[in-house]
Amino acid sequence: MSNTRSGLTRRQWLAGSALALALPARPAWALETIRQGFQTNIWGMPTYYLLKSGLLEKRGIKFEEFAVPSGNLTMQQMVARQVDLGTYAAQSFIIGHDKGGLVAIAQIETVGKTAQVVTRKDLNLTKVSELKGLKVANQTGSSVGNIFVDVIAPAAGLKKGDFQEVRMDVNNMVAAMAAKTVDAMVNVEPYNSIAVAEGIGTSIMDFSQLDKMPVFMAATPDFVDKSPETVIAYLKCWQEAARDFKDNPGKVADVIYAFFTSKGYAMSRETFAKALAKVEVNPGFPSDLVPGLQKDAEVLLREKKISAIPDWKKALRPDLWAKASS
């Protein structure tokens, strides 16, 4: 009897040992699938490059893509918990934190030079103050839209109602300018460069004069809490992508240029290069973010777009980037 029991126990032990060796405790495929949001203007292209680079797959991260015209739409998807991760500028991030507790896990780029006020070339306008009484295309609720309405227009002496705000997606604005259904647009790259290159518009200012405009990779708190391991592996992929932007810009440009031409934009490589050069891609987590965010939050609070100034210790998660870097 005892020999039989001993033999069975030994076989069970051997089988169990083989199974343990075959199944690692935390295999790569155990990481969560990411629902990645990104905007199809130039701000979202570093994220698009990451998705097409193969870097996520190398670390065992699966993903689903959610492309939208501008980042404030990604933010809304994240507040509704339809998307886990997405990029947008400070204003949209602050609103997203206020409405849905979204947290910043990295700064991906600065884009102040890409955001511009472009007027119809035939109008020969040179100053924002000259937009009084005119039709201005604006992606209402976007970071760029908020900055124009809350900061730039008032600084130029324009009150609400002094110009007609025409609500429109950024990717439709150049056509509207060409058709003369609007007189100006508040837009981002590559649409500004396209309008200028085609002789439709004249850029009269860019936002870098006021704000470098950091663009953040934000995450839902639910996703961070559920799988911090996935977030850290994801940030490691961003560190590798950063090296491509620095050391192999031609490869990066080819991927992004192919995206826009596949969408039907007739844009020369020269025009595209000018647009992409305005994006400063340097993923990381700068230590001096709070003063700028505080200033943006105070404007949003004044305009009743948020309910309170965020607690930055909760809204910003530099600890995740630090773990990815260690």
Side-chain angles (χ1 to χ4, degrees):
M1 292 288 292
S2 60
N3 288 340
T4 302
R5 285 197 301 269
S6 175
L8 288 172
T9 301
R10 178 176 173 76
R11 286 196 296 273
Q12 290 168 347
W13 180 85
L14 288 171
S17 298
L19 184 62
L21 289 171
L23 298 176
R26 185 69 180 177
W29 46 258
L31 297 175
E32 296 290 335
T33 296
I34 287 173
R35 296 177 297 175
Q36 176 74 68
F38 68 97
Q39 60 269 62
T40 53
N41 57 55
I42 209 81
W43 295 11
M45 289 301 101
T47 300
Y48 176 78
Y49 176 77
L50 176 73
L51 296 178
K52 301 306 174 185
S53 67
L55 294 170
L56 293 170
E57 290 90 339
K58 285 181 181 178
R59 290 191 178 271
I61 300 175
K62 295 180 180 179
F63 61 87
E64 300 171 11
E65 300 178 31
F66 293 80
V68 293
S70 71
N72 65 305
L73 302 177
T74 295
M75 177 269 287
Q76 292 165 17
Q77 290 175 322
M78 292 174 67
V79 169
R81 301 304 190 256
Q82 297 166 347
V83 169
D84 304 310
L85 297 161
T87 52
Y88 25 84
Q91 289 73 18
S92 290
F93 165 62
I94 293 166
I95 292 170
H97 179 74
D98 184 69
K99 307 300 183 190
L102 309 184
V103 297
I105 60 172
Q107 176 184 298
I108 301 301
E109 61 210 285
T110 53
V111 295
K113 294 178 182 177
T114 74
Q116 300 170 28
V117 179
V118 178
T119 60
R120 274 180 27 213
K121 189 172 183 179
D122 61 299
L123 297 177
N124 296 314
L125 305 179
T126 60
K127 297 181 292 186
V128 173
S129 60
E130 294 174 327
L131 296 175
K132 188 170 184 177
L134 300 183
K135 295 178 180 179
V136 181
N138 195 20
Q139 177 112 23
T140 306
S142 66
S143 292
V144 168
N146 286 334
I147 291 172
F148 177 76
V149 171
D150 299 338
V151 180
I152 292 175
L158 298 177
K159 304 184 299 295
K160 289 180 180 177
D162 282 349
F163 58 93
Q164 183 181 340
E165 185 180 32
V166 181
R167 299 186 177 196
M168 190 179 297
D169 285 350
V170 291
N171 51 2
N172 295 324
M173 292 181 185
V174 176
M177 292 256 290
K180 299 186 178 180
T181 56
V182 297
D183 304 305
M185 64 181 186
V186 181
N187 210 334
V188 295
E189 295 295 357
Y191 312 114
N192 299 323
S193 292
I194 291 172
V196 171
E198 294 186 0
I200 297 167
T202 301
S203 177
I204 62 172
M205 72 163 292
D206 75 55
F207 286 28
S208 68
Q209 301 166 34
L210 301 170
D211 192 339
K212 289 183 178 180
M213 295 194 70
V215 170
F216 298 97
M217 181 60 70
T220 65
D222 317 54
F223 189 76
V224 172
D225 291 344
K226 179 173 65 173
S227 187
E229 299 93 342
T230 302
V231 175
I232 291 166
Y234 172 79
L235 291 175
K236 286 181 182 293
C237 295
W238 267 111
Q239 292 168 0
E240 294 178 54
R243 286 192 281 274
D244 282 352
F245 274 88
K246 181 180 178 181
D247 301 333
N248 202 347
K251 174 187 174 185
V252 173
D254 286 344
V255 171
I256 299 173
Y257 182 69
F259 171 82
F260 285 113
T261 54
S262 74
K263 300 300 179 184
Y265 293 105
M267 179 172 38
S268 70
R269 283 300 294 250
E270 182 183 6
T271 298
F272 171 73
K274 288 179 180 178
L276 189 60
K278 294 183 175 77
V279 183
E280 299 176 23
V281 181
N282 187 22
F285 215 109
S287 60
D288 60 349
L289 291 175
V290 170
L293 288 170
Q294 179 72 17
K295 181 180 176 182
D296 291 331
E298 288 169 359
V299 172
L300 292 170
L301 183 64
R302 183 192 73 206
E303 298 298 323
K304 297 181 172 57
K305 292 176 178 175
I306 58 173
S307 60
I309 301 292
D311 178 346
W312 302 116
K313 291 182 179 178
K314 293 180 179 178
L316 305 178
R317 293 293 306 271
D319 56 302
L320 296 167
W321 184 266
K323 288 177 182 175
S325 303
S326 62

